[in-house]
């Protein structure tokens, strides 16, 4: 299940803080930027909604973290989730297998960043694209989603997609100004 909130500005922080676990509230309050706080709150609320819809869980989830900082639900190893946010939207995936999701605002193509983060084939694809801004962001969200699924970060960033054997889907929302990618491990 994928849930999206693309009205981050509409989040009422005062009202929403009561919906958060103490653990999440502390994390949100440590964020200095108001819009980033709203995005973080939105992502957590989406997770709560997904857990309610899919599993009937109505309480505020509490997280445990792996050594790389990937969160999981305390006491529920059967439920997997991941969330992300950008300047204008928050997104959350909830599933019964490991998942990764990333959402990014479409922004101006940076050739130097692409050379550093993309393998030769990906770089050529971006450079030959009629819209390199979109192609770079699309590939970047795919890499981030795969890295978040694994929970190990952006190690070997150039080969993340080459070595990935799961399922991946990307949605380009040019009218909304963002792109997101969702990936999941194949069920065995």
């Amino acid at each position: 299940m994928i849930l999206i909130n693309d009205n981050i500005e509409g989040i009422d922080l005062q009202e929403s803080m009561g919906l958060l676990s103490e653990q999440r509230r502390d994390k949100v309050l440590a964020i200095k930027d108001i819009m980033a706080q709203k995005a973080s709150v939105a992502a957590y609320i989406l997770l709560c909604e997904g857990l309610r819809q899919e599993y009937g869980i109505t309480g505020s989830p509490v997280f445990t973290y792996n050594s790389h900082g990937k969160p999981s639900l305390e006491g529920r190893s059967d439920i997997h989730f991941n969330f992300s946010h950008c300047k204008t939207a928050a997104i959350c995936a909830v599933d019964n297998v490991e998942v990764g999701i990333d959402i990014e605002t479409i922004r101006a193509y940076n050739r130097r960043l692409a050379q550093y983060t993309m393998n030769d084939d990906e770089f050529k694809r971006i450079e030959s694209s009629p819209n390199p801004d979109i192609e770079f962001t699309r590939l970047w969200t795919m890499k981030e989603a795969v890295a978040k699924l694994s929970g190990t970060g952006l190690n070997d960033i150039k080969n993340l997609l080459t070595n990935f054997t799961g399922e991946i889907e990307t949605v380009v929302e040019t009218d909304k100004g963002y792109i997101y990618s969702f990936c999941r491990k194949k069920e065995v």
Side-chain angles (χ1 to χ4, degrees), residues 51-126:
L51 293 173
R52 186 189 64 72
Q53 286 182 33
E54 288 292 302
Y55 298 96
I57 297 172
T58 57
S60 297
V62 175
F63 305 145
T64 59
Y65 296 89
N66 76 9
S67 61
H68 297 282
K70 181 178 180 175
S72 59
L73 295 179
E74 187 173 80
R76 291 302 302 260
S77 60
D78 60 320
I79 301 173
H80 302 275
F81 73 93
N82 200 237
F83 49 68
S84 179
H85 50 79
C86 63
K87 292 179 182 179
T88 59
I91 194 164
C92 180
V94 178
D95 209 315
N96 63 343
V97 297
E98 290 184 53
V99 293
I101 199 157
D102 187 55
I103 190 166
E104 298 288 339
T105 303
I106 300 168
R107 55 185 176 269
Y109 172 55
N110 180 326
R111 190 171 198 270
R112 290 182 68 197
L113 182 59
Q115 288 173 316
Y116 179 74
T117 59
M118 302 293 159
N119 66 34
D120 291 341
D121 290 339
E122 293 163 346
F123 184 74
K124 287 175 191 170
R125 193 175 325 152
I126 294 166

Side-chain angles (χ1 to χ4, degrees), residues 161-172:
L161 299 179
T162 306
N163 298 330
F164 183 63
T165 59
E167 304 165 10
I168 195 160
E169 174 188 343
T170 300
V171 175
V172 178

